[in-house]
Amino acid sequence: MVSNAVQWQEKPITKKPTRRKPMIIVGIVGLIALIAAAVAVAVVLTRRSSSSSSSSSSSSSSSSSGSNSGSDPSVFAKDPKLVQSFYGIAYTPEGSQMPNCAYNADSSIWQVIKCYAPAVSSTAVAGADCNQTALVLEAIKQTKAQMTVWVGNYVIPTDNGTAYRRQRDELTRVIQTYGTEHIGGITVGNEFMLNYVTANSATDPNGSVGNTGAALLKADIDDTKSVMRDLNHGNIPIGNAEAGAYFNTDTLRNVDYGLSNVHAWFAGTTVQDAAGWTWQYFEETNVVVANGLPNKPEMYIAETGWPTKYTQTSLQTMGAPPSQATEANLQVFLDTFVCQANRNGTKYFFFELFDEKWKDDMYGGVEGWWGLFYAK
Ligand SMILES: *[C@@H]1O[C@H](CO)[C@@H](O)[C@H](O)[C@H]1NC(C)=O
Ligand SMILES: *[C@@H]1O[C@H](CO)[C@@H](O)[C@H](O)[C@H]1NC(C)=O
Ligand SMILES: *[C@@H]1O[C@H](CO)[C@@H](O)[C@H](O)[C@H]1NC(C)=O
Ligand SMILES: *[C@@H]1O[C@H](CO)[C@@H](O)[C@H](O)[C@H]1NC(C)=O
């Protein structure tokens, strides 16, 4: 998500933080775990105050470390405040990204899945490094959560396929261990095109530079399809994740689904317009294009949300004065987006589950403050 500022680079954003761009180049964005959870309306509406009670109920349940300490991890206290209300929720835990892998079986994924399992329906993981795919599938297996995972391979355009192959081999091992029962699809590439055209001083994802990049990515997509066929999992959907404005049409022709990041905040809309803008942008830029292709890939909003806080005053708003990073404005976005999108069948992952202190430490600005709950 940290790259989304440049997603709208053709739009006049006066207060765009200049330090965002290098983040994209280092490829931090990629390894995002999107948890298609369904968290309570009640919890959301009372947002901050309920976070402590839900996390304490999680940690007071049996085997609170999250590891399998003898008792049955699938038996745990369910928080009565949790009911289905989101299609999906994104989650980017600390330690899930190279080179700072620090995510292990005792880490928060267990508690998160236990906490949200009563209402969780699916999960997507955007990269396969740091063992995160195995950790998520193991946690689902142990907790018997009814979840589907979209696993991911975060492809780096400039590394000669090293990251792609490392993650492909990891995903192969994971599928051999856990099977595909809980896997909804394999996402090859996350903001690959945004990174590729930006690095090559271009802007049009469908221009000649974009199409050159798309051909590179197609080799990886085709390779993944072939590896899955060899594993007798040729039916598994293969997709692509991209910044909303950067889907290449050739890439969409090669995939079964697309995950699109659409952030009204970075487009500088007012919070009152944010829900309608998000939906309309996604519809016009992604859904219409996808539906015009012979394979009609299914499109999802991979990330959308509203920040509640900022650590630099200059980043308090991205554009229009009403679009401040406040809890009240997150509530406005929730009130105007979630139920309407649920009703009209828009598939979205709300960004994100918790405030992430590590992002604030690393990037500042609004990066750490998108949580529905305070940092764990
Ligand atoms: C990865 O996670 C799985 C599931 O928890 C675990 O069994 C395995 O030992 C982990 N591998 C590494 C290298 O940490
Ligand atoms: C790129 O990777 C291939 C193996 O896939 C290798 O043969 C080649 O030497 C590499 N090229 C560079 C420039 O690293
Ligand atoms: C090029 O990409 C954009 C963004 O994904 C899309 O909206 C547009 O329709 C595409 N244009 C063509 C000519 O394919
Ligand atoms: C679907 O939901 C979105 C998000 O709240 C809303 O903006 C949009 O107008 C709705 N579209 C239709 C066709 O109802």
Side-chain angles (χ1 to χ4, degrees):
M1 165 326 249
V2 288
S3 70
N4 283 288
V6 299
Q7 179 177 339
W8 318 111
Q9 61 191 0
E10 285 153 31
K11 297 179 189 282
I13 295 173
T14 47
K15 291 169 185 161
K16 187 167 79 180
T18 51
R19 56 189 298 233
R20 289 177 149 262
K21 205 165 150 189
M23 294 172 215
I24 301 149
I25 288 149
V26 298
I28 292 293
V29 202
L31 312 171
I32 297 162
L34 301 171
I35 298 206
V39 185
V41 173
V43 172
V44 172
L45 295 179
T46 57
R47 183 173 179 253
R48 302 300 185 166
S49 59
S50 58
S51 68
S52 55
S53 64
S54 57
S55 61
S56 67
S57 78
S58 148
S59 57
S60 65
S61 63
S62 63
S63 64
S64 60
S65 72
S67 59
N68 189 353
S69 56
S71 57
D72 183 349
S74 70
V75 178
F76 53 91
K78 293 175 178 159
D79 188 328
K81 289 199 295 294
L82 299 179
V83 297
Q84 297 228 349
S85 49
F86 292 99
Y87 179 84
I89 288 188
Y91 175 48
T92 324
E94 184 170 17
S96 60
Q97 301 172 348
M98 296 278 269
N100 299 314
C101 294
Y103 206 49
N104 58 46
D106 283 338
S107 75
S108 56
I109 191 68
W110 283 78
Q111 289 179 11
V112 168
I113 286 179
K114 281 185 172 185
C115 183
Y116 296 102
V120 162
S121 62
S122 53
T123 304
V125 181
D129 282 327
C130 301
N131 203 25
Q132 57 175 300
T133 315
L135 288 166
V136 169
L137 286 168
E138 179 67 23
I140 289 171
K141 182 178 157 190
Q142 296 280 346
T143 58
K144 298 193 172 73
Q146 296 299 308
M147 292 169 71
T148 302
V149 183
W150 279 268
V151 302
N153 187 328
Y154 184 78
V155 181
I156 295 172
T158 51
D159 76 346
N160 194 16
T162 306
Y164 167 76
R165 287 190 296 274
R166 180 179 68 230
Q167 293 170 86
R168 175 199 64 195
D169 295 345
E170 172 64 14
L171 290 173
T172 301
R173 276 192 294 276
V174 164
I175 286 172
Q176 284 167 335
T177 306
Y178 295 96
T180 56
E181 186 194 350
H182 289 281
I183 297 180
I186 302 177
T187 309
V188 181
N190 188 329
E191 301 196 334
F192 176 95
M193 186 55 62
L194 170 63
N195 292 335
Y196 187 85
V197 297
T198 307
N200 289 285
S201 313
T203 51
D204 180 0
N206 299 306
S208 63
V209 170
N211 287 339
T212 304
L216 290 175
L217 189 61
K218 182 176 191 299
D220 294 342
I221 290 169
D222 289 347
D223 180 64
T224 298
K225 288 178 181 170
S226 139
V227 167
M228 288 304 127
R229 274 195 301 270
D230 292 348
L231 289 173
N232 284 324
H233 292 303
N235 290 335
I236 197 159
I238 307 293
N240 175 246
E242 191 52 77
Y246 281 86
F247 275 100
N248 172 280
T249 306
D250 289 345
T251 301
L252 285 177
R253 277 194 191 94
N254 293 322
V255 293
D256 301 305
Y257 64 92
L259 296 170
S260 174
N261 296 334
V262 185
H263 280 288
W265 166 264
F266 290 118
T269 68
T270 66
V271 73
Q272 284 75 19
D273 292 342
W277 181 91
T278 300
W279 187 82
Q280 197 177 353
Y281 186 91
F282 173 62
E283 196 67 18
E284 288 171 358
T285 315
N286 302 140
V287 176
V288 168
V289 173
N291 286 345
L293 299 173
N295 55 321
K296 295 192 177 15
E298 176 147 34
M299 301 305 286
Y300 301 78
I301 298 177
E303 289 183 7
T304 194
W306 196 268
T308 57
K309 203 172 151 182
Y310 46 88
T311 37
Q312 289 137 270
T313 312
S314 63
L315 302 181
Q316 184 172 3
T317 73
M318 284 297 298
S323 60
Q324 298 211 348
T326 62
E327 293 185 12
N329 280 345
L330 170 59
Q331 188 68 60
V332 171
F333 188 61
L334 286 166
D335 290 346
T336 50
F337 182 80
V338 174
C339 295
Q340 295 85 335
N342 291 347
R343 269 200 299 276
N344 68 34
T346 306
K347 300 190 173 78
Y348 64 90
F349 295 85
F350 204 89
F351 185 87
E352 68 180 316
L353 188 53
F354 299 104
D355 286 342
E356 293 289 348
K357 186 174 180 306
W358 69 272
K359 290 185 185 174
D360 184 50
D361 295 344
M362 208 179 282
Y363 312 118
V366 294
E367 295 298 341
W369 311 106
W370 292 73
L372 293 165
F373 298 99
Y374 290 126
K376 287 165 25 68

